[in-house]
Amino acid sequence: MNRNCSAFCLLLLLLGAGSAAAQSTAANKEQTVNFGLQAGAIFPSRLFRVRSNEAVNNGFTYSIRADVGVQFGGMATFQLGKRFELQGGLMLLMRNYEVAVSDGATRPSIQLNTTIYEIPLQMAYYQPVGNRARLVVATGVNMQSLPSNLRVRDGILDVFARKRAFSVPASLTTAGLDFRNRAKGGWMVGISYCITPFPLYDTGITARFDGKDEFFVLPHIGDYFCVVGRYYID
């Protein structure tokens, strides 16, 4: 609970800093602060390295296959000049994995569901394409956090995800098309691509075949490709 509160406190500090910056430049009408709600769907894609993590040990094949997941949370954008924005927020990433072990004849599997907190901080560049539309490209760092270790098991498999650290950095790139309403608010639709060079946790897999336990560890691959939508509250 304390760790979750720390993440929310960090978001509040970020939003507060942005609000203060906006108030200090209130004379310039182009300086604005926007708040929004974001949701997205995560899809496996070999093109974007969202692939199965697989290894062979002692004649057994261990694999972790990413399935469809979801993302949702809040974002704030702080306009910096005519073409740049600073974007930050707090996201909840819910991903599903199939963990399986094969001995060549059978392939038992189990579902591992993970909940990861994300704090993205990106610098965005946008190009107007009309009175109310603009293209946006943003890149930056995405801090990921796993609050606690995870474990699922049945009669054959016992899967234990042990975190390496409370939080690790990742790279996040977002591109989309932004629509502004005539009065207030607006929409953004686009795609996000997250690359995780540092594993957030390791997955230990214990499988029982013919009364004997086989154990192996696979590092977590957290890369994901996401189709996102954002609604600006203003």
Side-chain angles (χ1 to χ4, degrees), residues 10-11 61 72 107 112 126 129 179 187 200 202 222 224:
L10 180 58
L11 175 61
T61 301
F72 57 91
R107 186 180 179 273
L112 176 66
Y126 66 89
V129 292
F179 301 92
W187 296 86
L200 180 58
D202 292 319
Y224 67 82

Side-chain angles (χ1 to χ4, degrees), residues 7-231:
F8 278 100
C9 288
L10 180 58
L11 175 61
L12 292 177
L13 289 175
L14 180 63
L15 299 182
S19 298
Q23 292 173 2
S24 65
T25 55
N28 186 349
K29 293 184 179 179
E30 293 185 353
Q31 295 288 343
T32 60
V33 179
N34 292 321
F35 300 92
L37 301 175
Q38 179 172 307
I42 299 170
F43 300 99
S45 172
R46 289 185 176 272
L47 178 64
F48 292 96
R49 295 204 328 151
V50 185
R51 62 189 187 279
S52 298
N53 189 11
E54 187 172 292
V56 178
N57 181 66
N58 198 26
F60 294 88
T61 301
Y62 299 82
S63 66
I64 302 176
R65 183 179 64 86
D67 206 342
V68 176
V70 296
Q71 177 200 68
F72 57 91
M75 289 288 293
T77 63
F78 314 104
Q79 188 168 331
L80 306 173
K82 295 183 178 181
R83 290 289 186 271
F84 293 93
E85 285 182 345
L86 181 64
Q87 301 180 351
L90 178 61
M91 296 290 165
L92 192 64
L93 188 67
M94 304 179 70
R95 302 194 65 182
N96 306 310
Y97 299 91
E98 180 199 50
V99 182
V101 182
S102 174
D103 63 352
T106 60
R107 186 180 179 273
S109 64
I110 196 171
Q111 193 80 6
L112 176 66
N113 303 317
T114 64
T115 299
I116 295 173
Y117 290 94
E118 296 184 315
I119 301 179
L121 184 62
Q122 297 177 282
M123 181 63 69
Y125 172 81
Y126 66 89
Q127 175 64 46
V129 292
N131 293 332
R132 294 186 293 150
R134 59 184 186 174
L135 294 172
V136 180
V137 178
T139 187
V141 66
N142 186 25
M143 298 300 299
Q144 294 188 331
S145 177
L146 182 69
S148 61
N149 297 322
L150 307 173
R151 188 174 188 177
V152 292
R153 52 187 169 180
D154 57 16
I156 300 177
L157 297 180
D158 187 348
V159 178
F160 185 73
R162 183 188 297 275
K163 60 183 180 180
R164 291 192 179 185
F166 173 66
S167 183
V168 297
S171 171
L172 181 64
T173 300
T174 303
L177 186 60
D178 192 307
F179 301 92
R180 306 303 298 178
N181 294 332
R182 293 187 181 276
K184 291 184 178 182
W187 296 86
M188 191 278 286
V189 292
I191 58 174
S192 290
Y193 181 38
C194 182
I195 301 176
T196 55
F198 310 106
L200 180 58
Y201 60 86
D202 292 319
T203 304
I205 307 170
T206 301
R208 171 158 291 192
F209 289 95
D210 298 327
K212 182 181 178 181
D213 289 343
E214 301 290 339
F215 178 75
F216 194 68
V217 176
L218 285 175
H220 172 65
I221 298 178
D223 301 352
Y224 67 82
F225 170 75
C226 184
V227 178
V228 300
R230 186 183 302 162
Y231 173 69

